[in-house]
Amino acid sequence: MKNWAGNLNYSSADVLRPESVAELAQVVARSSRVKALGSRHSFNRIGDTDGVHVLLDALPQQIELDAERQSVRVSGGVSYGALCRTLQQAGLAIHNLASLPHISVAGAVQTGTHGSGVNNPSLAGAVEAIDLVRPSGEQVSLSRADGEEFLGSVVGLGTLGIVTGLRLAVRPSFSMRQRVLENLPWDRALADFTQLVSSAYSVSLFTDYVGDSISQVWLKALDSEPPLGELFGATAATGPRHPLPGMSAENCTVQMDEPGPWLDRLPHFRHEFTPSNGEELQSEFILPLEQAPAAIQAVRSLADKLSPLLFVSEIRTGAADEFWLSPFYRQRSVALHFTWKPLQPQVEAVLPQLEDLLRPFGARPHWGKLFTPGGHDWESLYPRLEDFRSLASAHDPDGKFRNGLLDSILGVPAVSSR
């Protein structure tokens, strides 16, 4: 069994599809090592195990609206695409989406996945409660009222239990417009970067770091925000665009300032479009927003090595949050995302150089993407890491939910099932 990108074979000895949470709890209780898989959209081994893999797609896929609480309770295996269609039918929305709506809610939240917008928290920011199956098979629910343990569990990397459900905050549905601008000069972009990325509800920059300009700027604006015809010297695209130059935009969400519902504008790609597998790799590094100009200039100095390996790089932003292992923990951030060609040996060879360049800026790797585990001072990057280690040791002392990658981060040896 492979991940979505096809760049790794999972190591599990068995794969099970429990049909109820009770059955899942039994599987967890009797297994010496177990991990859950959702959409398998991680590019590294964070979701791997040498024990039992449980797939959540056979569990009841529940989406239950709670008008009184202004929230929705959703099963962990549900995709954002399915969730969003149900919310829209009820006149509701969530605050933001990742570029692909096909990913599972639980997996996205546990790894700190995000969209863009200086005032928009990551997808975990919507979580009001989380349901987990502990190593013993015990089913627990944590909410914001549980304080520290809740804040340590929402972005939990799958180490504190298998997520079977979440309660997410919702808001009234809203309409948006999307437009693409082209050829934004780097010098003007970096001169007032914060103003640039604050110019719409969600802003994404697409580049390969070569040359004097940024290829594309995607502006996702609320209907109440005035349309921008010009931005720091960039000009409006004359038709719909794909993030990759020369690619057809037919699978991209609607552009050209045409109003539409939030779920059809916040992602870059349409839900009815099925992404192809095995055609890309991904890395991403999240760092304080104020460090963005200097960090981007550092990356540009490596453009001759990066560009031949890149399909494209996307620059996004996100609001601060309080989740202990969130890459956005207590910092408004910029995220430098790299969509690589499927050349893993070459990518892994250049990653240490890229990480060395970004280390002085406090760059935190995205948990579900390619990075060098030994190339980061996790304690300095995550002030609550020791508290998280204690939480993981208390709830899973035998390492049932851990693996080699997680051990290298947590520094806690897990007992092998073999």
Side-chain angles (χ1 to χ4, degrees):
M1 188 171 61
K2 293 179 177 288
N3 63 340
W4 174 85
N7 68 304
L8 64 86
N9 292 304
Y10 290 115
S11 306
S12 49
D14 199 5
V15 180
L16 300 177
R17 280 189 165 88
E19 296 182 359
S20 68
V21 175
E23 183 184 347
L24 169 64
Q26 292 173 0
V27 171
V28 171
R30 68 174 184 256
S31 301
S32 59
R33 193 75 78 89
V34 60
K35 294 290 283 184
L37 287 178
S39 58
R40 292 179 250 172
H41 202 77
S42 290
F43 294 81
N44 60 37
R45 293 194 176 275
I46 198 164
D48 201 10
T49 182
D50 61 1
V52 175
H53 261 135
V54 289
L55 305 184
L56 304 183
D57 54 1
L59 293 178
Q61 302 296 291
Q62 299 172 331
I63 303 174
E64 301 172 354
L65 300 174
D66 188 333
E68 184 176 338
R69 285 183 170 178
Q70 282 293 288
S71 66
V72 59
R73 184 169 288 278
V74 57
S75 304
V78 168
S79 73
Y80 275 96
L83 169 62
C84 292
R85 289 196 299 272
T86 299
L87 291 178
Q88 178 64 13
Q89 289 169 4
L92 298 171
I94 51 177
H95 72 287
N96 210 357
L97 292 170
S99 57
L100 282 174
H102 307 77
I103 56 178
S104 66
V105 176
V109 166
Q110 282 282 287
T111 54
T113 297
H114 58 97
S116 191
V118 291
N119 298 315
N120 297 325
S122 72
L123 302 182
V127 177
E128 300 288 337
I130 182 169
D131 302 327
L132 298 160
V133 174
R134 297 290 197 200
S136 65
E138 179 190 10
Q139 299 174 43
V140 300
S141 183
L142 302 171
S143 71
R144 289 190 178 272
D146 291 296
E148 295 278 86
E149 186 164 0
F150 173 81
L151 295 176
S153 300
V154 173
V155 183
L157 314 186
T159 62
L160 302 176
I162 292 180
V163 179
T164 58
L166 302 120
R167 180 160 56 84
L168 309 176
V170 296
R171 55 179 286 184
S173 178
F174 54 98
S175 180
M176 302 191 74
R177 294 171 287 101
Q178 179 172 231
R179 79 164 17 189
V180 176
L181 303 178
E182 298 178 305
N183 301 317
L184 170 64
W186 272 116
D187 56 352
R188 297 188 62 180
L190 298 180
D192 199 341
F193 186 81
T194 300
Q195 183 180 348
L196 166 65
V197 294
S198 303
S199 58
Y201 185 88
S202 170
V203 177
S204 292
L205 315 178
F206 289 97
T207 181
D208 63 0
Y209 299 101
V210 174
D212 297 325
S213 62
I214 299 167
S215 300
Q216 297 179 8
V217 183
W218 286 42
L219 302 174
K220 301 170 187 284
L222 301 175
D223 258 354
S224 57
E225 294 177 294
L228 293 174
E230 192 272 348
L231 182 70
F232 295 98
T235 56
T238 56
R241 295 290 188 262
H242 190 284
L244 297 181
M247 292 285 290
S248 169
E250 63 178 329
N251 294 322
C252 297
T253 47
V254 175
Q255 302 164 28
M256 305 303 292
D257 269 333
E258 181 180 332
W262 59 282
L263 71 165
D264 294 330
R265 298 296 181 275
L266 283 171
H268 297 331
F269 298 99
R270 302 173 189 261
H271 182 263
E272 59 269 25
F273 158 62
T274 301
S276 54
N277 294 358
E279 294 184 358
E280 65 185 56
L281 302 170
Q282 294 181 13
S283 299
E284 188 169 35
F285 301 94
I286 296 96
L287 50 126
L289 182 62
E290 62 270 18
Q291 300 282 5
I296 291 170
Q297 287 286 49
V299 175
R300 291 182 69 203
S301 73
L302 200 60
D304 60 333
K305 293 184 178 180
L306 299 179
S307 181
L309 303 178
L310 275 175
F311 279 128
V312 74
S313 176
E314 180 181 4
I315 301 173
R316 298 182 283 182
T317 57
D321 63 37
E322 290 291 320
F323 303 120
W324 294 357
L325 289 193
S326 167
F328 298 88
Y329 179 73
R330 293 192 173 179
Q331 67 180 34
R332 191 166 63 156
S333 302
V334 63
L336 308 182
H337 185 280
F338 300 85
T339 301
W340 308 105
K341 297 172 184 176
L343 303 169
Q344 189 152 348
Q346 296 93 319
V347 169
E348 290 181 342
V350 82
L351 270 177
Q353 299 175 64
L354 178 59
E355 291 167 328
D356 285 346
L357 280 177
L358 293 176
R359 187 172 296 111
F361 306 106
R364 298 165 171 169
H366 188 297
W367 293 116
K369 302 186 180 181
L370 294 178
F371 59 88
T372 308
H376 303 275
D377 182 352
W378 300 114
E379 286 83 359
S380 66
L381 292 176
Y382 290 96
R384 301 300 299 270
L385 182 62
E386 193 55 42
D387 294 323
F388 185 85
R389 285 171 172 157
S390 297
L391 198 62
S393 294
H395 287 300
D396 186 19
D398 296 324
K400 181 174 287 194
F401 296 129
R402 293 202 297 272
N403 55 37
L405 176 59
L406 290 167
D407 289 346
S408 71
I409 295 165
L410 298 178
V412 180
V415 177
S416 176
S417 64
R418 294 181 178 176

